[in-house]
């Protein structure tokens, strides 16, 4: 328990209402929470199937399997629409939540129910101060009904103000009153932001002497607001943002990675100002994550700064971006299916999911990819002999022939059937063995890129275990001789 | 934010769990945000599972809840592996809900436990999956790396 930070555990939750006289607010609060992250909706987006999720959540989900997490209807990121009414509702609710909760937890003695005692001590403590205050007032005015709505309203407003002061990060993560973290410092006099070493010189020479000047300058940059510049530039900033949104950043289109050569992809990344370092797979993932972050940010009512997004991407890269794929794909696999194979990884991952699907049409798949399989197998053969990459794709032969060949070879040696999805529901003999995904057969012999694959998988057995389908397909080149692993087929088929 | 994604979500689930779980489900330990243990019981009078408690181990990746958690039964002196045609005797569970295909981020630890409860409740067969012995002997893979083929729609 003590491992967790406080924010991770003492999270506001809809169950907070339980045990208060306002337990009926629990479903209300639940309705304001995203089903994926369980937090209050952050930039809620409506799917084609009329479900709503946080922008970031649904974009993540769709980029993994293009299905609505709630009803599994297929959907696309481009079809998402902002649910602005809900956004406002959530904002209003989260702002008043604390006040209502405090109010509910410290009811007048007459209303105090025995269940109230069952409140968890930590939460109780958090509100004790307010509670005591409240109860104090109650003793002075014992009859609740006589309290004028005016006083109550005043109390509520006070509570709201207080709430605004100590907004919890989860309720309002983007409410930035602090200076932006851009590596700059503010001039102590005019509050203009600049590099630290410039400050002295600036004060001596160009400082206008009052924050107003700077503030109005800033406002001019943002677009005019009717408000006269106040002494709090950050406050102005906030107003400027909410009432006069800057030109909204444009959403980035998804890329068809399969159509892009490595150099083109690197160019795209550098155009976006992102790192071009890493394997092809990593490049694609990085680009994808950036698009997700960026587009989700576009949906936000208070978009973050680019530098903040970059920091998010950085964090992602350190953890999720490079999940210990390394050592698992490493080993012998690298000598055969190495570098050149990394490219279509993401595509193959999606394809792998497709293959496993119950409605998978093996025949169509074979028809569609027969050509490439044939080519790839040939390439691989050549490559194994020569240990050099033979880039030329032979395209002379008929698709049919190649398809046959593919299947035959698939059966024969390279791909033990047990590594492929076995029985398909249609029970058709021909399609009982699905052809491999393009990933399965990889032109060999590029130098291994162990460096990019590095990372601990948390696996302690030496056995080579490959995540997901496609890599498994990849691994069959070397694992088939080592051992045959029957994928379990459970049940009574 | 990405880093927080899994942690935040698990924190929320945990606080909810500590506020109470459905009958027959108990949190045993959640010392970190990677591995949790829960006990489940089958509440009706199914003779196969009467008066038994089973321990579940959840492992979460950084991509939870986009990716499913890894869920297995673990064996201990007083915690057997429930007998079921989709549960291997090493505790590995073949349930599409726990695979990439069947998983949805709206599921949670609680909902997984409830699904497993109902999967056990509905079972009448006193048997292991076909090929259990062989699989248990040979398997060194992690559950998420195993390719299950889900065919039984009755569960």
């Amino acid at each position: 328990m003590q491992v967790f930070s406080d924010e991770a555990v003492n999270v506001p939750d809809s169950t907070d209402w339980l045990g208060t006289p306002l337990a009926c607010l629990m479903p209300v609060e639940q309705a304001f929470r995203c089903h994926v992250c369980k937090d209050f909706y952050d930039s809620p987006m409506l799917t084609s199937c009329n479900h709503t999720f946080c922008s970031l959540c649904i974009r993540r989900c769709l980029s993994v399997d293009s299905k609505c997490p709630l009803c599994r209807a297929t959907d696309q990121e481009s079809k998402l629409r902002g649910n602005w009414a809900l956004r406002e509702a959530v904002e209003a609710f989260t702002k008043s939540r604390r006040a209502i909760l405090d109010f509910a937890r410290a009811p007048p003695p007459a209303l105090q129910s025995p269940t109230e005692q069952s409140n968890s001590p930590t939460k109780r403590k958090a509100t004790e101060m307010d509670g005591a205050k409240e109860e104090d007032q109650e003793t002075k005015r014992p009859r609740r009904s006589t309290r004028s709505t005016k006083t109550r309203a005043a109390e509520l407003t006070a509570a709201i103000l207080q709430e605004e002061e100590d907004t919890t990060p989860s309720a309002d993560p983007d409410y930035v009153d602090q200076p932006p973290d851009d590596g700059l410092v503010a001039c102590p006099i005019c509050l203009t932001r600049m590099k630290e070493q410039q400050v002295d010189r600036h004060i001596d020479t160009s400082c206008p002497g009052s924050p107003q000047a700077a503030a109005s300058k800033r406002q001019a940059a943002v677009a005019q607001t009717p408000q006269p510049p106040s002494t709090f530039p950050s406050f102005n900033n906030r107003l400027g943002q909410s009432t006069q949104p800057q030109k909204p950043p444009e959403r980035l289109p998804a890329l068809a990675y399969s159509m892009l050569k490595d150099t083109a992809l690197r160019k795209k990344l550098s155009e976006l100002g992102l790192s071009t370092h890493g394997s092809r797979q990593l490049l694609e993932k990085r680009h994808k994550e950036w698009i997700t972050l960026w587009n989700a940010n576009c949906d936000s009512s208070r978009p973050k700064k680019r530098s903040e997004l970059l920091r998010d991407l950085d964090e992602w890269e350190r953890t999720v971006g490079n999940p210990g794929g390394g050592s698992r794909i490493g080993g012998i696999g690298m000598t055969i299916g190495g570098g050149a194979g990394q490219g279509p990884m993401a595509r193959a991952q999606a394809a792998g999911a497709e293959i496993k699907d119950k409605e998978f049409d093996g025949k169509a798949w074979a028809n569609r990819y027969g050509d490439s399989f044939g080519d790839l197998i040939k390439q691989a053969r050549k490559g194994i002999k020569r240990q050099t990459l033979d880039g030329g794709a032979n395209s002379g032969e008929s698709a049919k022939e190649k398809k046959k060949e593919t299947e035959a070879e698939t059966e024969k040696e390279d791909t033990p059937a047990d590594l492929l999805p076995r029985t398909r529901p249609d029970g058709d003999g021909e399609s009982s063995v699905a052809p491999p995904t393009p990933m399965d057969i990889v032109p060999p012999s590029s130098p291994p890129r162990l460096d990019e694959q590095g990372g601990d998988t948390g696996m302690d057995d030496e056995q080579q275990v490959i995540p997901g389908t496609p890599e498994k397909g990849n691994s069959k080149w070397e694992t088939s001789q080592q051992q045959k692993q029957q994928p379990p087929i459970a049940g009574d088929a | 934010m990405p880093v927080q994604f899994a942690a935040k979500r698990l924190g929320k689930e945990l606080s909810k769990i500590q506020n109470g779980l459905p009958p027959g489900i108990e949190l045993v330990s959640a010392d970190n945000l990677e591995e949790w243990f829960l006990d489940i019981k089958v509440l009706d009078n199914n003779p196969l599972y009467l008066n038994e408690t089973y321990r579940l181990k959840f492992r979460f990746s950084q991509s939870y809840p986009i990716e499913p958690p890894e869920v297995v039964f673990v064996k201990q002196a007083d915690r057997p592996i429930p007998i079921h045609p989709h549960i291997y005797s090493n505790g590995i569970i073949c349930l599409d809900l726990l695979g990439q295909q069947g998983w949805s981020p709206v599921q949670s630890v609680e909902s997984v436990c409830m699904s497993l409860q109902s999967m056990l409740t509905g079972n009448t067969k006193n048997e292991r999956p076909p090929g259990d012995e062989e699989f248990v002997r040979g398997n060194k893979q992690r559950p998420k790396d195993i390719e299950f083929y889900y065919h039984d729609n009755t569960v």
Side-chain angles (χ1 to χ4, degrees):
Chain A
M1 266 311 277
Q2 55 278 42
V3 190
F4 305 149
S5 63
D6 269 1
E7 304 96 80
V9 175
N10 287 329
V11 273
D13 186 82
S14 53
T15 48
D16 292 351
W17 299 103
L18 293 178
T20 74
L22 291 180
C24 57
L25 277 180
M26 185 172 105
V28 177
E29 175 159 334
Q30 255 162 5
F32 284 132
R33 286 177 177 271
C34 169
H35 287 279
V36 173
C37 64
K38 313 285 182 198
D39 209 337
F40 285 113
Y41 285 113
D42 178 15
S43 318
M45 300 299 276
L46 202 57
T47 63
S48 309
C49 45
N50 296 332
H51 290 119
T52 299
F53 305 93
C54 299
S55 182
L56 193 60
C57 296
I58 186 62
R59 285 174 191 279
R60 283 239 161 83
C61 295
L62 290 180
S63 78
V64 170
D65 70 351
S66 304
K67 283 192 184 123
C68 167
L70 273 171
C71 66
R72 306 205 165 270
T74 50
D75 205 353
Q76 296 166 349
E77 274 194 56
S78 57
K79 290 191 178 154
L80 296 174
R81 291 291 173 265
N83 194 340
W84 289 4
L86 181 60
R87 184 165 83 188
E88 276 173 38
V90 169
E91 218 162 286
F93 182 78
T94 49
K95 268 187 200 158
S96 52
R97 180 181 193 273
R98 176 72 178 278
I100 307 174
L101 197 58
D102 289 350
F103 189 71
R105 279 176 174 165
L111 284 178
Q112 207 144 21
S113 64
T115 50
E116 226 257 332
Q117 306 304 332
S118 68
N119 267 332
S120 77
T122 49
K123 279 169 187 147
R124 189 69 201 158
K125 209 186 283 171
T127 55
E128 224 156 50
M129 298 269 290
D130 296 355
K133 213 195 312 169
E134 190 94 21
E135 271 154 20
D136 221 339
Q137 282 160 349
E138 289 309 324
T139 48
K140 281 179 212 149
R141 287 185 297 265
R143 279 183 58 87
R144 179 196 184 91
S145 53
T146 59
R147 288 171 70 189
S148 72
T149 43
K150 211 171 166 188
T151 12
R152 253 182 279 168
E155 273 169 26
L156 250 170
T157 350
I160 288 174
L161 282 177
Q162 205 207 335
E163 150 78 2
E164 276 191 320
E165 269 165 30
D166 52 24
T167 24
T168 61
S170 73
D172 221 346
D174 298 333
Y175 230 78
V176 196
D177 250 347
Q178 291 118 359
D181 185 11
D182 50 8
L184 304 177
V185 297
C187 162
I189 301 168
C190 70
L191 299 176
T192 314
R193 300 187 69 74
M194 65 194 71
K195 282 189 191 151
E196 201 174 353
Q197 58 266 40
Q198 292 174 330
V199 174
D200 280 349
R201 194 151 165 259
H202 160 81
I203 294 175
D204 291 337
T205 56
S206 59
C207 181
S210 76
Q212 272 92 343
S216 58
K217 218 189 282 172
R218 186 181 317 217
Q219 269 204 330
V222 171
Q224 277 312 316
T225 40
Q227 246 85 19
S230 86
T231 42
F232 298 102
S234 60
F235 179 66
N236 267 330
N237 224 1
R238 197 158 88 196
L239 270 184
Q241 264 184 12
S242 56
T243 57
Q244 296 267 333
Q246 292 151 303
K247 194 169 138 267
E250 275 184 37
R251 288 180 180 74
L252 295 168
L255 288 184
Y257 297 110
S258 50
M259 309 284 283
L260 283 178
K261 292 229 166 68
D262 275 18
T263 43
L265 181 58
R266 275 176 217 277
K267 201 174 152 218
K268 288 266 181 209
L269 283 166
S270 69
E271 277 169 10
L272 293 168
L274 307 177
S275 157
T276 57
H277 162 86
S279 65
R280 167 79 187 201
Q281 185 195 2
L282 189 58
L283 295 183
E284 287 182 10
K285 279 165 103 187
R286 182 184 298 135
H287 188 267
K288 203 179 199 179
E289 176 69 13
W290 177 251
I291 289 190
T292 304
L293 288 172
W294 179 270
N295 288 351
N297 191 46
C298 291
D299 299 325
S300 171
S301 53
R302 295 186 203 91
K304 294 193 205 174
K305 285 199 161 53
R306 194 189 140 80
S307 54
E308 286 173 86
L309 288 183
L310 281 171
R311 210 169 39 227
D312 285 349
L313 185 71
D314 230 42
E315 270 179 42
W316 168 85
E317 192 126 356
R318 277 200 301 275
T319 54
V320 192
N322 217 349
S327 55
R328 284 187 264 174
I329 309 178
I332 315 170
M334 297 313 296
T335 59
I336 301 178
Q342 300 304 313
M345 191 75 84
R347 242 182 311 141
Q349 228 139 35
E354 207 181 311
I355 291 177
K356 275 198 255 177
D357 201 56
K358 277 182 186 168
E359 279 89 46
F360 178 73
D361 183 356
K363 235 180 199 171
W365 183 267
N367 280 332
R368 209 163 126 211
Y369 293 112
D371 278 10
S372 353
F373 295 144
D375 286 351
L376 285 167
I377 290 173
K378 274 183 195 151
Q379 274 183 33
R381 289 254 157 87
K382 274 187 209 162
I384 290 169
K385 275 178 205 149
R386 272 185 254 150
Q387 284 298 313
T388 49
L389 183 65
D390 187 344
N394 36 21
S395 46
E397 290 162 63
S398 77
K400 234 183 194 171
E401 204 180 312
K402 276 182 218 154
K403 184 192 148 196
K404 262 187 214 153
E405 192 187 330
T406 314
E407 279 177 359
E409 283 174 359
T410 303
E411 286 273 19
K412 246 190 286 164
E413 34 181 340
D414 296 335
T415 51
D418 59 357
L419 283 164
L420 296 167
R422 290 156 73 84
T423 41
R424 310 277 17 139
D426 54 18
D428 184 340
E430 259 232 319
S431 57
S432 68
V433 173
T437 65
M439 259 311 292
D440 290 340
I441 303 142
V442 186
S445 80
S446 295
R449 295 195 187 172
L450 286 166
D451 52 327
E452 285 133 15
Q453 298 298 329
D456 189 23
T457 61
M459 313 244 342
D460 27 21
D461 48 346
E462 293 234 271
Q463 216 248 313
Q464 195 170 3
V465 185
I466 315 293
T469 349
E471 292 90 341
K472 186 173 291 161
N474 200 2
S475 76
K476 70 173 75 83
W477 286 85
E478 66 280 352
T479 51
S480 54
Q481 301 97 318
Q482 290 171 2
Q483 60 159 115
K484 288 210 168 186
Q485 197 100 69
Q486 286 286 345
I489 297 194
D492 35 21
Chain B
M1 177 103 100
V3 182
Q4 307 298 334
F5 209 70
K8 224 167 147 184
R9 156 80 187 243
L10 285 169
K12 284 194 191 308
E13 283 196 40
L14 194 61
S15 78
K16 195 153 202 168
I17 283 174
Q18 280 158 353
N19 264 302
L21 276 166
I25 304 176
E26 260 174 53
L27 182 69
V28 178
S29 70
D31 299 330
N32 52 48
L33 291 179
E34 276 151 28
E35 206 170 84
W36 294 4
F37 290 91
L38 286 97
D39 274 351
I40 64 168
K41 279 183 196 154
V42 177
L43 293 176
D44 71 351
N45 291 326
N46 190 333
L48 290 173
Y49 310 113
L50 202 60
N51 299 327
E52 286 288 3
T53 308
Y54 305 104
R55 178 145 304 172
L56 281 169
K57 182 169 86 174
F58 282 73
R59 288 185 69 153
F60 308 99
S61 76
Q62 293 277 6
S63 306
Y64 181 81
I66 305 291
E67 274 181 14
E70 186 181 297
V71 186
V72 293
F73 283 103
V74 285
K75 191 167 187 165
Q76 286 178 355
D78 53 343
R79 299 278 184 272
I81 306 284
I83 187 123
H84 189 283
H86 296 170
I87 299 173
Y88 291 90
S89 49
N90 57 2
I92 289 179
I93 306 162
C94 172
L95 179 65
D96 71 340
L97 184 80
L98 300 173
Q100 282 290 356
Q101 279 298 296
W103 173 257
S104 159
V106 302
Q107 306 289 356
S108 62
V109 171
E110 185 183 316
S111 75
V112 167
C113 287
M114 287 168 71
S115 300
L116 287 170
Q117 264 184 326
S118 78
M119 171 171 150
L120 295 180
T121 307
N123 178 45
T124 51
K125 290 182 194 151
N126 186 9
E127 57 188 44
R128 292 282 176 208
D132 177 55
E133 266 181 45
E134 197 186 336
F135 171 71
V136 169
R137 208 182 320 121
N139 182 62
K140 296 210 168 61
Q141 286 178 301
R142 293 264 295 274
K144 64 171 176 154
D145 300 321
I146 302 172
E147 250 181 277
F148 290 106
Y149 170 58
Y150 310 110
H151 61 94
D152 186 351
N153 290 325
T154 61
V155 179

